């Protein structure tokens, strides 16, 4: 597979202390596949990890967060979907280092957070 091909990974992440490790591994694989610089890769992964952990704080034990990771030639998009309305724990997404764009939408009893990190070619 080349970086020009579209790749999508979907994880159903339970409220478990080990779960963020799966997200970190999947994001690390995607970032390296696309050739992200190490510093940018780590900041983005740390931001996604922080937001996932924050969302767990108000999530009932039996529910999961669905995480979709999509690779594009110029960026990685991570969408987190959780049950419930607006989540104050995701409010910080727009100001975390390592994220180029963050969009949140609450509809149909779910909240979606999309994080975007662009591959910068200097």
């Amino acid at each position: 597979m080349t970086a020009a091909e579209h790749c999508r990974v979907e994880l159903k992440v339970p409220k478990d202390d080990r779960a963020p490790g799966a997200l970190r591994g999947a994001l690390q694989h995607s970032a390296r596949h696309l050739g992200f610089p190490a510093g940018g890769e780590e900041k983005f992964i740390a931001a996604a990890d922080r937001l996932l952990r924050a969302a767990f704080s108000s999530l009932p034990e039996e529910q999961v967060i669905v995480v979709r990771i999509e690779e594009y030639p110029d960026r990685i998009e991570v969408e987190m979907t959780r049950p419930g309305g607006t989540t104050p724990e995701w409010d910080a997404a727009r100001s975390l280092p390592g994220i180029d764009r963050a969009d949140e939408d609450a509809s149909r009893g779910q909240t979606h957070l999309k994080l975007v990190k662009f591959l910068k070619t200097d």
Side-chain angles (χ1 to χ4, degrees):
M1 179 163 55
T2 65
E5 295 176 4
H6 181 81
C7 180
R8 180 178 176 184
V9 175
E10 183 171 300
L11 305 169
K12 292 184 179 178
V13 185
K15 187 174 180 177
D16 183 314
D17 290 340
R18 300 168 293 179
L23 174 63
R24 291 182 70 83
L27 285 174
Q28 185 177 53
H29 174 78
S30 289
R32 290 182 181 174
H33 178 244
L34 291 172
F36 272 66
E41 169 190 323
E42 188 50 42
K43 285 180 185 175
F44 182 67
I45 292 171
D49 180 86
R50 178 176 168 187
L51 292 168
L52 180 67
R53 289 177 189 274
F56 280 153
S57 68
S58 63
L59 190 71
E61 288 292 327
E62 68 281 356
Q63 299 200 341
V64 299
I65 296 175
V66 177
V67 180
R68 288 175 202 85
I69 302 167
E70 294 192 66
E71 294 179 16
Y72 296 92
D74 65 337
R75 68 190 183 282
I76 295 176
E77 293 184 0
V78 177
E79 184 177 350
M80 298 182 192
T81 304
R82 57 157 289 171
T86 303
T87 54
E89 62 268 12
W90 282 351
D91 288 343
R94 286 166 186 75
S95 62
L96 287 175
I99 295 174
D100 293 325
R101 190 175 80 212
D103 301 313
E104 186 176 355
D105 175 51
S107 62
R108 299 183 307 257
Q110 295 183 325
T111 303
H112 307 276
L113 176 68
K114 182 186 283 187
L115 309 175
V116 179
K117 178 64 182 170
F118 291 99
L119 173 61
K120 296 193 174 44
T121 53
D122 297 312

